Amino acid sequence: MVATALERLATWRSRGTRASEQTVKHGLTVLEDGGLKKLGDEAWNFLEQLTLASLDIGRLDIADECLEQLTEGFPGSPRVECLKGLRIEADNKPIEAIRFYEAALQEDDTNAALWKRKIAVLRSLGSQNVSQAVEELTIYLDTFYTDVEAWIELADVYAELNLYSLSLQALSHVLILASQNPFYVLRFAETAYTAGDIPLAHKMFLRVIDMDEPEGSKSNATKRAWWGVKLTAGRLLSSPNTPSESKTQPPSSDHLRLLDELATERLAESYRSTSVTPQGQGRDVILAWLGGRKR
């Protein structure tokens, strides 16, 4: 049983799979049968894996046992310090967790994991701490500019505050760092639409389609982008002088009409081949609406 448990745990570690309940189940088998000695250097990775899984399901007793061994084996380890912070968070003590992270960062301000946990806790405290979360993210990104996830989080914070122009600025860094990801471009386009910069949104929806075209209209990114093209084309046709904060110039009216027709065609084709609901009513409603929107 220990061999099977070790094999499954190793597989989940290599795949980055959490599987918390099963991890704890198999982890206990390893601990109770003395399997930890068989792991050698991998024992520490196992203990880290089991600690996280135990925190996920509220088995704090197991997490404490693992942390005790990790602290003894790796005193002062940045990864262990992060696990200690998570343990404090598990006790629902956010202020204490923030103080812990601040003290740890004074010792090592290059520990990205600790910094991001501090930011996550600040965000969890709600609107009264959002300005501090923004400040921390900004400082963090000055040091770790290439952290795409942090730029996305900053964009999220600004969007929650209805500061869509600032959200777009954060997402522009995401596009610089990961320009080949159509979902990031789609997110930028949808944020531009929400911000009211319809010409920019239209341009970026078309870019998504250009990037994701090999996947065809059934791709989630492409389908959402075609919806974006249809909505923005309609807005620009009905209001040709729609302002653009980015100074993006929209296509000509003739071009917009062609794009609107093409978007209708591609969306209709996509929805004809699938049912939005098991009975297909959702599909029929959408197809009827698209038919009524033809120009």
Side-chain angles (χ1 to χ4, degrees), residues 50-69:
L50 183 54
T51 301
L52 290 169
S54 301
L55 292 174
D56 284 345
I57 66 171
R59 286 298 306 269
L60 305 185
D61 55 328
I62 301 174
D64 288 339
E65 181 181 345
C66 294
L67 275 172
E68 183 178 344
Q69 295 188 59

Side-chain angles (χ1 to χ4, degrees), residues 251-268:
S252 66
S253 295
D254 289 342
H255 195 178
L256 285 169
R257 289 190 183 91
L258 290 172
L259 285 169
D260 181 74
E261 291 175 3
L262 181 59
T264 300
E265 177 187 320
R266 291 297 176 87
L267 288 167

Side-chain angles (χ1 to χ4, degrees), residues 97-108 114:
I98 289 172
R99 289 171 181 163
F100 173 84
Y101 291 133
E102 287 176 342
L105 286 168
Q106 286 181 355
E107 297 294 325
D108 179 14
L114 287 174

Side-chain angles (χ1 to χ4, degrees), residues 236-276:
L236 292 170
L237 283 167
S238 61
S239 303
N241 297 319
T242 300
S244 171
E245 186 176 335
S246 62
K247 309 300 181 185
T248 302
Q249 292 298 315
S252 66
S253 295
D254 289 342
H255 195 178
L256 285 169
R257 289 190 183 91
L258 290 172
L259 285 169
D260 181 74
E261 291 175 3
L262 181 59
T264 300
E265 177 187 320
R266 291 297 176 87
L267 288 167
E269 176 187 343
S270 173
Y271 283 100
R272 284 192 194 100
S273 63
T274 185
S275 293
V276 177

Side-chain angles (χ1 to χ4, degrees), residues 1-224:
M1 290 184 64
V2 173
T4 301
L6 289 174
E7 182 179 350
R8 290 183 180 177
L9 290 167
T11 299
W12 289 331
R13 281 200 304 276
S14 65
R15 295 177 179 174
T17 302
R18 202 83 156 199
S20 299
E21 290 188 6
Q22 290 299 310
T23 294
V24 171
K25 175 183 176 182
H26 291 301
L28 284 175
T29 298
V30 173
L31 290 177
E32 292 168 358
D33 291 356
L36 193 61
K37 297 178 181 178
K38 301 177 182 179
L39 286 169
D41 291 339
E42 281 295 302
W44 310 113
N45 290 328
F46 159 77
L47 287 171
E48 182 180 34
Q49 179 186 22
L50 183 54
T51 301
L52 290 169
S54 301
L55 292 174
D56 284 345
I57 66 171
R59 286 298 306 269
L60 305 185
D61 55 328
I62 301 174
D64 288 339
E65 181 181 345
C66 294
L67 275 172
E68 183 178 344
Q69 295 188 59
L70 285 166
T71 302
E72 183 179 341
F74 296 97
S77 164
R79 289 168 65 174
V80 175
E81 291 300 297
C82 191
L83 290 173
K84 288 180 180 178
L86 288 169
R87 174 64 180 86
I88 297 171
E89 290 183 49
D91 279 333
N92 197 25
K93 298 178 180 178
I95 303 302
E96 185 177 331
I98 289 172
R99 289 171 181 163
F100 173 84
Y101 291 133
E102 287 176 342
L105 286 168
Q106 286 181 355
E107 297 294 325
D108 179 14
D109 62 1
T110 65
N111 190 325
L114 287 174
W115 215 333
K116 293 175 82 168
R117 285 313 312 162
K118 177 186 175 183
I119 293 166
V121 176
L122 284 169
R123 287 197 67 186
S124 73
L125 292 175
S127 57
Q128 68 269 27
N129 291 87
V130 69
S131 60
Q132 190 177 352
V134 169
E135 182 181 356
E136 287 289 333
L137 268 169
T138 303
I139 296 171
Y140 171 85
L141 286 165
D142 282 341
T143 305
F144 301 98
Y145 174 78
T146 59
D147 191 330
V148 172
E149 289 184 357
W151 282 112
I152 291 175
E153 184 169 6
L154 182 59
D156 280 344
V157 175
Y158 283 137
E160 288 175 4
L161 297 172
N162 297 325
L163 299 172
Y164 296 108
S165 293
L166 292 176
S167 185
L168 280 174
Q169 289 180 25
L171 289 173
S172 68
H173 292 279
V174 174
L175 297 191
I176 291 171
L177 294 167
S179 59
Q180 300 305 311
N181 188 318
F183 285 98
Y184 293 155
V185 182
L186 179 65
R187 183 167 185 159
F188 185 96
E190 292 175 340
T191 303
Y193 185 88
T194 307
D197 195 332
I198 307 304
L200 176 61
H202 182 79
K203 175 183 176 181
M204 299 308 286
F205 281 128
L206 288 172
R207 181 179 294 182
V208 175
I209 292 166
D210 183 58
M211 294 172 68
D212 211 34
E213 190 61 34
E215 296 297 324
S217 59
K218 293 182 181 179
S219 158
N220 287 334
T222 301
K223 187 182 293 186
R224 283 166 59 181

